[in-house]
Amino acid sequence: MTVLKSQLIVALDVATLDEAKRLVRALEGIVDTFKVGSQLFTASGPEAVRYLLKEGKQVFLDLKFHDIPHTVASAVAAAISIQEGGRGIMMCTLHALGGLEMLEAAAQAARKEAQATGVKRPLLVVITVLTSEAKKDNIPRLVLERCALAKHAGLDGVVASSQEAALIRREFGKDFVIVTPGIRPKGSAAGDQKRVTTPADAIVKGSDFLVVGRPVVEAPDPAAAAKQILEEIKQANLTS
Ligand code: C5P
């Protein structure tokens, strides 16, 4: 990955669009990629995505679609149709538990909708095992199975903890996208996340994108917190 800045995705896990806007302004010139997840999307809908696109930001829409194939395909098409100035979302998530048919339907819908509307097709990534889950037996095996499912369905990659990132990179090659949440810079609280990692460790293990919520969103100085993470990413890229 060459665009270091875009390796950091800040999760706009806040209650209102106004709060999200304040955060985006506070991070102006530092962070250019933001995640809109179920909290903000439920509160403010596609308006949150349109706002970010208008501001020239990249949007990761993390709604973890999991439903019957037809419904998920329609939801993916709807997500891609949220556009501003010829740009749409850069990435969105689907749940591996939806199965192969659902994932294939999503991949097909994404290609069709992007082509029909003339936007770049977003990356489609699959949730393997949530980073808040620690008790499942044999997580690495489950993660690899779900990576294989994603690849088989023609998707771009997965969301996985850095604990599995090195294994995924080895098995699925350099073009398979790995997105890692559960990032905790030294000294920050884990919250409900169990399989946490530092920004540097995630990069060294082979993650392409790091998703960071509370360590930035709840920091007394979000800009300083983001800068510190970016510095760590930079150092790790130099050494890995
Ligand atoms: O606040 P924190 O840094 O833990 O936020 C992590 C973000 O990444 C949350 O928005 C959460 O929904 C998301 N996420 C996750 N685990 C996954 C997929 C997404 O924590 N497997």
Side-chain angles (χ1 to χ4, degrees):
M1 266 281 149
T2 42
V3 191
L4 298 180
K5 203 164 130 190
S6 299
Q7 283 191 278
L8 173 62
I9 302 178
V10 169
L12 292 173
D13 292 335
V14 291
T16 66
L17 185 52
D18 280 345
E19 265 182 85
K21 287 181 178 177
R22 272 199 295 278
L23 207 52
V24 171
R25 281 196 291 268
L27 297 171
E28 186 59 50
I30 303 166
V31 175
D32 61 11
T33 308
F34 293 90
K35 183 172 91 83
V36 175
S38 29
Q39 182 185 11
L40 184 59
F41 198 81
T42 304
S44 56
E47 203 38 48
V49 177
R50 277 196 206 100
Y51 158 73
L52 289 164
L53 292 173
K54 259 188 228 153
E55 293 295 311
K57 310 302 177 197
Q58 302 206 79
V59 183
F60 171 25
L61 186 62
D62 179 27
L63 299 177
K64 301 183 178 66
F65 295 131
H66 181 193
D67 209 313
I68 58 170
H70 179 260
T71 301
V72 168
S74 309
V76 166
I80 294 173
S81 74
I82 310 171
Q83 299 173 8
E84 271 305 326
R87 288 174 63 240
I89 57 169
M90 55 85 75
M91 181 155 70
C92 79
T93 46
L94 306 146
H95 214 297
L97 285 174
L100 183 62
E101 206 191 321
M102 184 201 88
L103 299 178
E104 282 175 340
Q108 199 186 2
R111 279 193 297 272
K112 219 167 126 187
E113 182 69 18
Q115 208 172 24
T117 60
V119 288
K120 193 164 173 231
R121 181 182 69 76
L123 297 170
L124 298 184
V125 292
V126 163
I127 306 293
T128 54
V129 177
L130 291 174
T131 38
S132 55
E133 291 186 71
K135 292 205 183 91
K136 276 203 163 68
D137 283 340
N138 208 347
I139 287 179
R141 183 183 52 79
L142 260 183
V143 169
L144 286 183
E145 274 173 21
R146 292 174 183 172
C147 288
L149 192 69
K151 188 146 191 167
H152 190 67
L155 304 191
D156 301 287
V158 290
V159 180
S161 98
S162 79
Q163 288 169 24
E164 289 84 40
L167 191 60
I168 298 170
R169 190 56 75 222
R170 223 173 24 247
E171 296 281 322
F172 292 87
K174 67 172 178 36
D175 294 331
F176 200 64
V177 173
I178 305 175
V179 181
T180 297
I183 303 291
R184 291 296 178 267
K186 265 198 203 100
S188 56
D192 56 352
Q193 299 281 22
K194 305 287 188 310
R195 292 175 300 123
V196 295
T197 191
T198 63
D201 188 51
I203 294 294
V204 169
K205 297 273 167 58
S207 300
D208 296 302
F209 298 103
L210 314 192
V211 177
V212 184
R214 288 162 287 184
V216 170
V217 174
E218 294 177 0
D221 182 347
K227 276 186 190 159
Q228 195 195 325
I229 294 168
L230 282 167
E231 185 53 32
E232 221 184 291
I233 292 175
K234 189 170 142 194
Q235 293 305 326
N237 272 308
L238 289 175
T239 55
S240 63

